[in-house]
Amino acid sequence: HFQVSEDRKQIRRSPAQVVPVFNEERRKELTSRTVYCKGFPVTGVVLDDLLPYFATYGPIETVMMRSYLDKAAKEHKFKGSVYVIFKTKELAEKFLNLESVKYGETELIRKWQSDYLEFKKQERDSKRKNPNAPQKKFSDEKAARQEAAMAKGAILHLEGFSGETSREDVKRELISVGAEVAYIEYCKGDSKGLARLQGENSAQRVSEL
C-alpha cells in the first residue's frame, strides 16, 4: 500500500492505491462492518495490544480506542471501549454472534456501532425530555440476554434460510410477529440458526403463529 524512496527517508501512498472518497455511501458501508466493544481496562491498554487481539477473530481494518477529555488532568483518557472495523460485514456478524468474548477475565459487551449510537441518541433525547428520570444503562441489555438464556422454552430453532438472508433480516421478521429478541446466533450464508427470546415458553408462542 505504500512506497518508500530509494534513500529510505520518505514514504508515500502507492499511486495504484486510490484514496477512497468519504461520502455518505462510504460512511454507511464502513458502519455496516463496525462493532462497538466495551469492557477493557481503562489503564494499561495500548493499541498494539488490541490489534493482535481482534485479529484473532478475523482480518480487521482498524481499531479505534475511544477516549474522553479529563478536564482536571487536561488530558485524554481511554474509556475502556473501542470501535472495530472488520474487513467484511460477515466477519463482524460472526464476531457478534459468538456466545462469549473475553479480554482477560472480563466478558466484553458487543454491539453494532449503529445500534450503540442509536441507543445513546435515545438516551440523550430521553434525558432532555425528563432530566430527573433514571437512565437505563447500555449494559442492561447484557443482563437481559443472560436472563433470556436461562429462561425455559426461550430458544427458537430456525432453518431454511436463503444465502442472502442476513442477521438483521431474521431479527426484523421475528420482531414483526411480536417476538422479544434477546440475541440471534446466525451468520449470513448459514442454512440454520437459533434465536434466544425473552420470557419462558416464548419460543413456543412464536412458533405457533
Side-chain angles (χ1 to χ4, degrees):
H1 299 309
F2 297 95
Q3 289 183 340
V4 181
S5 63
E6 292 184 1
D7 60 7
R8 307 190 69 80
K9 293 182 178 180
Q10 299 181 69
I11 187 171
R12 70 174 183 179
R13 187 185 183 93
S14 172
Q17 192 72 23
V18 180
V19 178
V21 177
F22 191 82
N23 52 24
E24 183 62 14
E25 182 179 355
R26 171 67 173 170
R27 185 193 68 78
K28 288 182 178 179
E29 194 276 326
L30 287 173
T31 300
S32 73
R33 48 191 174 93
T34 302
V35 172
Y36 164 87
C37 284
K38 179 181 179 181
F40 299 97
V42 295
T43 59
V45 177
V46 296
L47 189 59
D48 284 345
D49 298 326
L50 297 175
L51 289 173
Y53 170 77
F54 282 107
T56 63
Y57 294 101
I60 61 171
E61 282 194 4
T62 189
V63 175
M64 292 170 281
M65 299 177 68
R66 304 178 68 241
S67 63
Y68 70 97
L69 177 62
D70 184 331
K71 294 182 179 179
K74 295 182 180 180
E75 64 179 355
H76 285 85
K77 295 184 177 181
F78 181 42
K79 285 186 173 184
S81 61
V82 301
Y83 291 138
V84 186
I85 303 180
F86 285 84
K87 283 288 187 181
T88 66
K89 183 178 179 180
E90 288 72 23
L91 285 168
E93 285 180 332
K94 183 178 180 180
F95 176 74
L96 285 174
N97 285 333
L98 291 172
E99 183 70 24
S100 173
V101 175
K102 292 184 176 182
Y103 188 82
E105 298 299 318
T106 303
E107 183 73 30
L108 295 181
I109 295 172
R110 294 163 287 145
K111 198 75 174 175
W112 286 113
Q113 181 195 45
S114 56
D115 289 348
Y116 170 73
L117 294 176
E118 178 61 26
F119 174 85
K120 298 303 290 184
K121 179 180 180 299
Q122 292 177 1
E123 185 180 61
R124 289 192 299 270
D125 291 345
S126 176
K127 192 172 183 179
R128 280 196 294 268
K129 292 177 182 177
N130 191 354
N132 297 319
Q135 299 299 308
K136 181 179 179 181
K137 294 182 179 180
F138 186 66
S139 57
D140 288 349
E141 183 169 332
K142 181 183 176 184
R145 285 178 54 172
Q146 293 173 335
E147 181 181 350
M150 294 184 289
K152 295 180 180 179
I155 299 177
L156 183 65
H157 292 272
L158 308 167
E159 59 183 39
F161 297 117
S162 69
E164 296 302 315
T165 303
S166 69
R167 184 172 176 274
E168 287 76 15
D169 294 331
V170 177
K171 183 176 181 179
R172 191 182 306 113
E173 288 299 317
L174 289 172
I175 292 174
S176 72
V177 296
E180 294 184 58
V181 180
Y183 64 97
I184 294 171
E185 295 181 8
Y186 168 74
C187 290
K188 188 175 182 180
D190 291 347
S191 61
K192 297 180 180 181
L194 64 83
R196 294 184 184 269
L197 309 182
Q198 297 189 38
E200 289 195 3
N201 299 317
S202 52
Q204 182 179 350
R205 290 195 296 271
V206 172
S207 64
E208 291 174 348
L209 294 176

